[in-house]
Amino acid sequence: MSKVYFKNIGFISSILSKTDFSKLFVLVDENTHKHCYPLITEHIGKHTIIQINSGEKNKTLESCTHIWNSLTEAQADRRSLLINLGGGVITDMGGFCAGTYKRGIKFINIPTTLLAQVDASVGAKTGIDFNGFKNHIGLFCNAEAVLIDSLFHESLDERQLKSGFAEMLKHGLIADLKHWNECLNQGYKTVDNQLIKKSVDIKKSVVEADPQEKGLRKILNFGHTIGHAIESHLLSSENELLHGEAIGNGMIAEAFLSFKKGFISSEDYMLIKGELSKLYDKPKIKKASFDELKGLCLQDKKNDNGKLNMSLLKTLGQATYDIEIDGILLESALNEVL
């Protein structure tokens, strides 16, 4: 498991001084190059920048080829080190490219969005989207270190903050009801390192108990089977959603399934729906698209032998996994958010 530091950005110099490497590379997109890179450049010494285009639509093999080519042209060897400076697309794809280049080079994550800080940068999952399927190609690969600094929030708009906030609320629903309430009380606009650390600690405890997602770790996917289907369906459309916006709706739908399966009460479901509906608008998807959404749900990595398995809430603050859902029930859940 990666060591996570909640420090100011200057601490990267201390991390690098304790890390053995031959050459240093920094992966950015056009946004993090402009807003975040200037905050780290004086702390990292000699390095080479690799830039990709931002956005989920660029989390592809083509972008990976650009990264691998850049490393190759700069004669990066197996002792090279890659710093992934950005949101979830950067940390997911940068980790994947580092893990596969010359069978693996070291990498450090500096997540710059709230979403990446509480989710994508921690837990060793790396990967890219493929043929329209979210995170379809990837591997488990730990970063040497993760450095989290809420200073980067100054570069985020309200929509980005709400997107990351969805994963924090999820952590509360699946593992710690007190954290859910603390998040709601504090609100997404004033999230601080202490609240971020609580979310990261929840995720780390689950990952450490099940690093390869054979069982318990699946609870982290609550809201994601339907959420990823919504996100993938709208990708590159005029109604494209941020990850957390899709997951917010996915949690409503999967909380509904938790109620229909008899795990939580109707009152609990309405509480969840009420709070999440205040934050995340319904996605603009025509109901004629139900079949495509169902097909995307069936591509979820938790499925087995063609059966649709989901992680649902057992109670508020506790989750369960590998719950089989049939097509009729899935359609009723989609009706809750579309």
Side-chain angles (χ1 to χ4, degrees), residues 247-303:
I247 298 309
N249 281 281
M251 286 193 286
I252 293 173
E254 294 179 26
F256 173 76
L257 291 173
S258 303
F259 158 58
K260 297 299 287 186
K261 281 290 188 177
F263 295 128
I264 65 174
S265 67
S266 60
E267 291 79 12
D268 288 342
Y269 166 59
M270 292 308 297
L271 170 67
I272 294 168
K273 182 177 182 179
E275 294 293 351
L276 294 177
S277 295
K278 294 175 190 175
L279 292 163
Y280 308 105
D281 295 334
K282 284 189 174 185
K284 295 178 181 178
I285 299 177
K286 295 178 180 179
K287 294 192 176 181
S289 301
F290 271 22
D291 285 344
E292 182 181 341
L293 289 171
K294 289 179 183 178
L296 288 166
C297 287
L298 285 169
Q299 283 290 334
D300 189 272
K301 295 177 286 297
K302 297 183 296 301
N303 298 332

Side-chain angles (χ1 to χ4, degrees), residues 66-79:
H66 170 67
I67 295 169
W68 290 321
N69 277 335
S70 298
L71 290 168
T72 301
E73 289 169 3
Q75 298 183 328
D77 58 28
R78 294 188 70 180
R79 291 182 53 246

Side-chain angles (χ1 to χ4, degrees), residues 74-253:
Q75 298 183 328
D77 58 28
R78 294 188 70 180
R79 291 182 53 246
S80 295
L81 174 67
L82 178 66
I83 294 177
N84 298 315
L85 180 69
V89 171
I90 288 280
T91 57
D92 276 0
M93 186 159 52
F96 175 68
C97 287
T100 49
Y101 180 78
K102 293 186 181 291
R103 296 197 179 99
I105 62 173
K106 296 175 181 177
F107 66 97
I108 291 171
N109 286 334
I110 304 180
T112 59
T113 65
L114 178 59
L115 177 64
Q117 288 171 348
V118 299
D119 186 42
S121 67
V122 179
K125 281 186 177 180
T126 69
I128 58 169
D129 303 339
F130 184 72
N131 286 349
F133 300 122
K134 180 88 172 174
N135 297 325
H136 204 59
I137 308 294
L139 48 82
F140 289 97
C141 191
N142 273 304
E144 290 295 301
V146 179
L147 177 57
I148 293 175
D149 186 350
S150 58
L151 172 68
F152 291 117
H153 294 185
E154 295 177 9
S155 67
L156 304 178
D157 60 23
E158 190 169 301
R159 192 178 173 196
Q160 286 281 354
L161 288 171
K162 280 201 289 186
S163 177
F165 198 58
E167 291 287 354
M168 299 180 73
L169 291 170
K170 180 203 73 178
H171 291 151
L173 284 175
I174 65 170
D176 188 340
L177 187 58
K178 181 180 177 183
H179 183 60
W180 156 269
N181 288 322
E182 288 175 344
C183 287
L184 289 175
N185 289 336
Q186 187 160 328
Y188 64 88
K189 293 182 181 180
T190 56
V191 168
D192 56 20
N193 272 358
Q194 184 176 354
L195 207 58
I196 293 171
K197 185 178 185 303
K198 180 60 178 177
S199 259
V200 171
D201 286 345
I202 289 171
K203 179 167 184 177
K204 281 184 65 179
S205 67
V206 174
V207 171
E208 287 170 351
D210 178 22
Q212 298 294 315
E213 201 172 40
K214 304 297 184 183
L216 179 66
R217 184 170 177 167
K218 294 178 184 179
I219 68 172
L220 292 170
N221 288 297
F222 171 67
H224 283 61
T225 300
I226 293 175
H228 274 167
I230 292 170
E231 184 180 7
S232 296
H233 176 75
L234 291 175
L235 192 63
S236 299
S237 76
E238 61 181 12
N239 298 315
E240 183 175 352
L241 295 181
L242 296 177
H243 175 73
E245 294 169 332
I247 298 309
N249 281 281
M251 286 193 286
I252 293 173

Side-chain angles (χ1 to χ4, degrees), residues 1-12:
M1 189 70 181
S2 305
K3 177 68 175 177
V4 183
Y5 299 94
F6 295 86
K7 302 278 189 178
N8 65 60
I9 194 59
F11 190 73
I12 187 62

Side-chain angles (χ1 to χ4, degrees), residues 6-55:
F6 295 86
K7 302 278 189 178
N8 65 60
I9 194 59
F11 190 73
I12 187 62
S13 61
S14 177
I15 295 174
L16 292 175
S17 69
K18 298 173 184 176
T19 306
D20 178 50
F21 61 91
S22 57
K23 292 185 178 182
L24 181 63
F25 296 82
V26 181
L27 179 64
V28 297
D29 60 31
E30 72 276 13
N31 296 318
T32 56
H33 194 179
K34 178 180 179 181
H35 299 291
C36 305
Y37 172 72
L39 300 176
I40 75 164
T41 181
E42 66 179 288
H43 304 294
I44 60 176
K46 185 179 179 181
H47 60 278
T48 300
I49 296 176
I50 301 173
Q51 182 169 320
I52 60 169
N53 294 324
S54 63

